[in-house]
Amino acid sequence: MRTALRLIGSGVAVYGAAIAAGRFRRVGYLDEKPLASFEKDAELINWSSTHELSTKSLYQPESTEELVNTLKKCQEDGLRIRPMGSGLSPNGIGFDQEGTVSMGLLDKILSVNKEKKTVRVQAGVKVSQLVEVLRAYNLTLQNYASIAEQQIGGFVQVGAHGTGMGIPPVDMQVLSMKILTPGLGMIELNEEKNPILFKLARVALGSLGVMVEATIQCVDAHLLKEHTFVSTAEEIRANHDKWLRSHQHLRYMWIPYSESVIVVWSDPAGADEAVGESTLFSEEEALAAPRALLRSAYPEIEEDQLKEMSFTQIRDELIHHKPLDADHIREVNQAEAEYWKKKEGVRVDWSDRILGFDCGGQQWVSEVAFPCGSKERPSTSDLDFIDDVKKIIEEEKIPAPAPIEQRWTSASSSYLSPVWSNDLESIFSWVGIIMYLPPAGEAGDQEREKITEAFQGYQRKLETELWERYGAFEHWAKIEATSPLLQQKRERIHKRIPMAMYESTKKLLDPQHILSNDAIDAILSN
């Protein structure tokens, strides 16, 4: 029995050990056909511990045959079997109380075509695992999200994205895929043979079928040269159009209550450039301001302990000191700006290592995408949106920590993508807001509840005042179905995507909604 890993909060549960201990057992056989092993009443917790539930049956297929037979049995019995990936989504979109199927053991890399620069994988393979295998073929993925522990199935189905005006979200890298459906069984989709269904099912949250395999277009492995520096809103206004057009990857990290903006851009490195890093100051010198503020907040902290802490760990501790005090958060943000001013510099490394970055500790996060012109004629709506966000933060005295992260992609042809457009020359800006949480546990739970309430108020203020005006659409992994603004969310979604097409396809592929959960049905079903 192979071992798979499942993220449980900040730790990992080892499935192989659970099976050996008898926590898993075979469901049985259907006409002598093997079914997946499963755990009864399994606890599911996402990475930030913001969503948790007990699922009656957590299925763990080790083969496609087991997956097919298990789904068929659930269909016959009318039982839900919600597909989940690594459990990273901030909103727990892959969880269901009745039944959940983990794809973690269906993680094979089936073939690599070096000539066509394609790879065929099972949906349970992690991005981090795939990139290391591709490295041996001098290949890589076109773009990456901030973290690499997603399984390919979830990575594609929620429409994950990186940054770069000329680069679409990751679903556009998928050339063909196999999905397992309750209504039609296993079906293979691609743009040539069944373009409409392919573009509908490619980003569908696992609600139309369980993604089993995908063939992905790769690019040559390449080094990127990353420049990081601190700018101002005024300087960005003067240079944004040029920077957006001229750099392959661009990211802004806006600092609330500050004029400072961290600018990060990356482009292919020169042939004579090697992996390395050069910054204005050492990490030790850059940490001076955050460390000084932490000493003032916690005079009892030992120097040895302080020296072991990274910047993001120091920031987490500073925020946890007074997480809802806007004046304190302003100080923390200023210390972050000072840190980045000393971290200005250049770094050269492989693209996957440059484009991934440390997101910090457990957190609430909300992210939206909205149109901002075309590749030929970008608009200023992306910067206008940020101006409005910062104005609301300051007027409402919201304890908003840094960063407000801003990225860009081109459009997607997947109908349910937040950046779907018939015009693939369109560009979209993605903006994410954040509040950090103390670790879950008895001591921190009361504080987490207060932060959660504050974050929900922060997010709702932006939603009611800005989203409709800018045509903003929420990232599928971050939309909360329990929001008091659910009806407004539904109306925006139903205006934005082809609901009649989705509903008729859902009736065909999953007539009993066994692949859905309450959140998906609340958002997408009439």
Side-chain angles (χ1 to χ4, degrees), residues 453-499:
E453 184 178 347
F455 180 79
Q456 289 170 346
Y458 177 18
Q459 188 266 345
R460 283 198 298 270
K461 188 71 176 176
L462 301 186
E463 181 172 359
T464 54
E465 296 200 12
L466 302 181
W467 290 8
E468 188 71 30
R469 193 195 325 163
Y470 285 93
F473 193 104
E474 280 180 279
H475 190 308
W476 285 116
K478 294 158 187 172
I479 183 171
E480 294 290 342
T482 56
S483 168
L485 300 178
L486 177 61
Q487 185 55 36
Q488 292 94 316
K489 293 179 187 289
R490 282 170 50 88
E491 289 171 2
R492 275 196 305 273
I493 290 169
H494 289 207
K495 283 192 292 187
R496 178 77 171 74
I497 66 175
M499 280 305 302

Side-chain angles (χ1 to χ4, degrees), residues 140-242:
T140 194
L141 299 180
Q142 184 186 37
N143 210 347
Y144 291 89
S146 56
I147 52 178
E149 293 309 303
Q150 305 104 320
Q151 293 177 13
I152 285 293
F155 191 54
V156 172
Q157 283 285 294
V158 299
H161 66 95
T163 189
M165 181 183 79
I167 303 173
V170 297
D171 54 279
M172 290 290 281
Q173 300 168 30
V174 176
L175 302 176
S176 66
M177 62 185 189
K178 288 182 181 178
I179 62 171
L180 179 61
T181 71
L184 297 181
M186 187 78 74
I187 56 178
E188 186 166 0
L189 303 173
N190 60 54
E191 194 154 6
E192 289 72 39
K193 294 181 179 178
N194 30 41
I196 293 176
L197 183 53
F198 176 63
K199 288 187 283 190
L200 185 64
R202 193 166 46 183
V203 175
L205 318 178
S207 69
L208 297 180
V210 182
M211 181 183 279
V212 179
E213 291 181 16
T215 299
I216 300 169
Q217 182 66 60
C218 302
V219 298
D220 290 327
H222 55 283
L223 293 173
L224 286 175
K225 186 174 185 178
E226 176 188 80
H227 292 257
T228 301
F229 63 97
V230 177
S231 184
T232 64
E234 183 179 0
E235 184 183 18
I236 285 177
R237 279 277 178 186
N239 292 281
H240 177 60
D241 186 83
K242 178 179 68 176

Side-chain angles (χ1 to χ4, degrees), residues 248-291:
Q248 185 166 304
H249 305 278
L250 178 67
R251 173 163 56 102
Y252 295 158
M253 293 186 286
W254 300 83
I255 300 183
Y257 299 108
S258 168
E259 282 300 303
S260 297
V261 189
I262 301 117
V263 178
V264 184
W265 67 52
S266 306
D267 296 292
D272 59 342
E273 293 180 296
V275 171
E277 182 176 11
S278 173
T279 57
L280 286 176
F281 296 87
S282 68
E283 182 71 8
E284 190 75 11
E285 292 169 305
L287 286 171
R291 281 176 174 171

